[in-house]
Amino acid sequence: MLNSKTFEINQVVHDVQCYPFHDVSFQRNYILLGGENGSVCLSTYQINTNNKNSTICDISKPLFETQPTTSRITKVAFAPLQWTDFKLTFCTVDSSNSIKIYRSKQKVHLSLLSNITSSDSIEFELITNISSLHKQYINNVCFSQTDSGLHICTVSDDHRCLATNIESLESKVLYECESPLVSINLRTANEIVLGEQYPGRVLIMDLRIPYKKPVITLKPTAKNNRTQSLGLFDTDVHVTRNEWIGTAIGKEFSIFDCTNPLKPLLQQEAHTSSGCKHFRFSPPSFNASHLVFATSNQYDTVKIWDATTSEATPITFKQNYRIGGMTWTNTLTSSSDVSLRKLPCLLTGGDSKLHCYALQ
């Protein structure tokens, strides 16, 4: 069962992310939107706790918003608060390959999240503006932490993954391959997951190891060889079981267990018309045994899958516009039934709307 709601946004949304590094323990949490006109909007969202049909019921006015530019925002990402002395830190990537990193001037401790109202603002400063890192389009970005400090890790069509120290701006090549690197995920504080488009490999890199070789390589293969030529588009790491890696390859999804990397746990055709573009695991819900995730094609179709049983079954919905980013959060209800207090909710961007789909 799905409960949905749509919010009108004053710009085309190209990427969206809810703060992903903790459970939603309060009625408000942070959401970051990257838009067509180059502006970035940080808001909070309100969870409806009045009944069992829980979903996001309100998005605040911007707590922080940048001025419009001529370059659209293509990616946004948060850094864990524990790595930044509880100062909210996030980065943006735009279509000119410029990377900007913002940090709040005051500490924003998790225990204070519920005290933020729609009229509050947060003062931010631009701490880093990086350009000319990559020769071609930056496909994805994430933060990592090593003994030398906080880094921004990027992957690009130029076949390289770079790690750049946000203080010294020193960059190093973590990996270089024969085809575009299309995705990057944080697996642990010291490990990242890279997605190589062709022939479609998943590479797990340990940042503590000086040589540039993956510690684990996964090779998802589409069941239909004709769709393999579409390549790998996306990867994701399960929130609580980081040995599980999900991939979007060809027209299918695959889920691997890194402890047995030779064969996927689950593989199934997802989008027949234009390939499987995105894959996102949901956060843990009230039932730890539930395996829920979302996929999308390149255009307007999103599927939410429940793979708790042996065969995954989807709920399918279409949007009237190209999908601009996918992110999950958890809703909280005030139900006396403990099993209904924590339910996953998917948010998708695109056009000038934000769609919320809460599982019931």
Side-chain angles (χ1 to χ4, degrees):
M1 183 177 176
L2 203 64
N3 189 27
S4 64
K5 185 164 184 175
T6 301
F7 294 92
E8 297 290 334
I9 306 295
N10 62 2
Q11 60 177 315
V12 175
V13 179
H14 284 288
D15 199 21
V16 55
Q17 188 175 82
C18 295
Y19 181 82
F21 299 106
H22 65 93
D23 292 334
V24 180
S25 302
F26 303 100
Q27 294 182 5
R28 286 189 178 271
N29 199 4
Y30 295 117
I31 184 169
L32 193 59
L33 304 174
E36 173 68 25
N37 61 4
S39 68
V40 180
C41 174
L42 175 75
S43 297
T44 62
Y45 57 84
Q46 177 77 42
I47 299 297
N48 178 11
T49 59
N50 294 328
N51 52 57
K52 294 182 180 181
N53 295 324
S54 174
T55 188
I56 292 175
C57 64
D58 181 49
I59 295 178
S60 73
K61 294 180 180 179
L63 304 176
F64 170 77
E65 191 169 19
T66 62
Q67 294 297 314
T69 67
T70 57
S71 299
R72 73 182 185 278
I73 301 298
T74 57
K75 291 294 175 182
V76 296
F78 284 105
L81 284 171
Q82 293 88 341
W83 294 356
T84 60
D85 194 27
F86 293 99
K87 292 182 178 180
L88 191 62
T89 304
F90 62 87
C91 75
T92 67
V93 182
D94 67 27
S95 54
S96 69
N97 271 8
S98 174
I99 301 170
K100 294 182 174 66
I101 301 176
Y102 298 88
R103 177 175 290 169
S104 63
K105 292 185 177 181
Q106 66 269 43
K107 293 184 179 182
V108 186
H109 196 277
L110 299 183
S111 63
L112 302 177
L113 287 178
S114 59
N115 296 329
I116 296 176
T117 69
S118 59
S119 61
D120 290 332
S121 63
I122 301 177
E123 191 174 359
F124 280 82
E125 58 184 342
L126 176 64
I127 61 170
T128 303
N129 187 354
I130 309 170
S131 59
S132 304
L133 273 182
H134 290 276
K135 299 174 184 177
Q136 297 184 40
Y137 189 81
I138 295 175
N139 289 309
N140 222 320
V141 62
C142 75
F143 286 92
S144 68
Q145 178 86 314
T146 66
D147 292 339
S148 60
L150 190 64
H151 290 71
I152 191 77
C153 296
T154 50
V155 291
S156 167
D157 280 349
D158 67 9
H159 305 183
R160 298 185 303 161
C161 173
L162 301 181
T164 304
N165 187 294
I166 70 168
E167 301 294 340
S168 68
L169 300 187
E170 179 183 356
S171 293
K172 63 179 180 179
V173 178
L174 294 180
Y175 192 72
E176 188 166 5
C177 58
E178 299 298 322
S179 76
L181 289 168
V182 294
S183 65
I184 184 168
N185 312 96
L186 191 67
R187 184 169 183 246
T188 68
N190 300 301
E191 288 184 336
I192 56 173
V193 177
L194 306 179
E196 183 184 3
Q197 189 168 20
Y198 304 108
R201 297 188 302 166
V202 180
L203 312 166
I204 301 177
M205 311 291 296
D206 191 327
L207 303 177
R208 297 164 295 186
I209 298 177
Y211 55 85
K212 304 167 188 175
K213 291 185 178 180
V215 293
I216 301 176
T217 300
L218 309 176
K219 297 180 179 179
T221 302
K223 292 180 181 179
N224 186 338
N225 290 332
R226 289 177 298 175
T227 71
Q228 182 77 19
S229 61
L230 294 175
L232 183 144
F233 288 111
D234 201 11
T235 57
D236 195 26
V237 180
H238 194 273
V239 178
T240 56
R241 300 195 60 173
N242 63 15
E243 71 273 19
W244 287 359
I245 310 292
T247 69
I249 182 169
K251 298 181 179 181
E252 303 170 5
F253 67 79
S254 299
I255 298 175
F256 281 85
D257 187 333
C258 294
T259 61
N260 183 22
L262 298 180
K263 184 179 179 180
L265 289 173
L266 184 64
Q267 183 176 13
Q268 194 168 320
E269 187 171 78
H271 300 273
T272 58
S273 59
S274 59
C276 189
K277 179 70 172 179
H278 295 105
F279 182 102
R280 294 288 182 275
F281 282 114
S282 83
S285 64
F286 57 86
N287 191 331
S289 66
H290 279 194
L291 176 57
V292 176
F293 53 91
T295 62
S296 81
N297 65 6
Q298 297 189 56
Y299 302 108
D300 59 357
T301 303
V302 176
K303 294 185 179 182
I304 298 178
W305 303 78
D306 185 348
T308 306
T309 59
S310 58
E311 183 175 353
T313 54
I315 302 172
T316 303
F317 55 91
K318 279 183 173 280
Q319 301 180 172
N320 295 324
Y321 46 84
R322 195 182 189 96
I323 295 162
M326 297 171 60
T327 185
W328 285 93
T329 187
N330 269 332
T331 63
L332 299 175
T333 73
S334 57
S335 171
S336 58
D337 185 347
V338 174
S339 68
L340 293 174
R341 290 183 183 171
K342 197 174 182 182
L343 300 167
C345 179
L346 178 72
L347 295 90
T348 63
D351 197 21
S352 297
K353 294 181 176 64
L354 188 66
H355 273 263
C356 309
Y357 301 91
L359 299 181
Q360 305 300 324

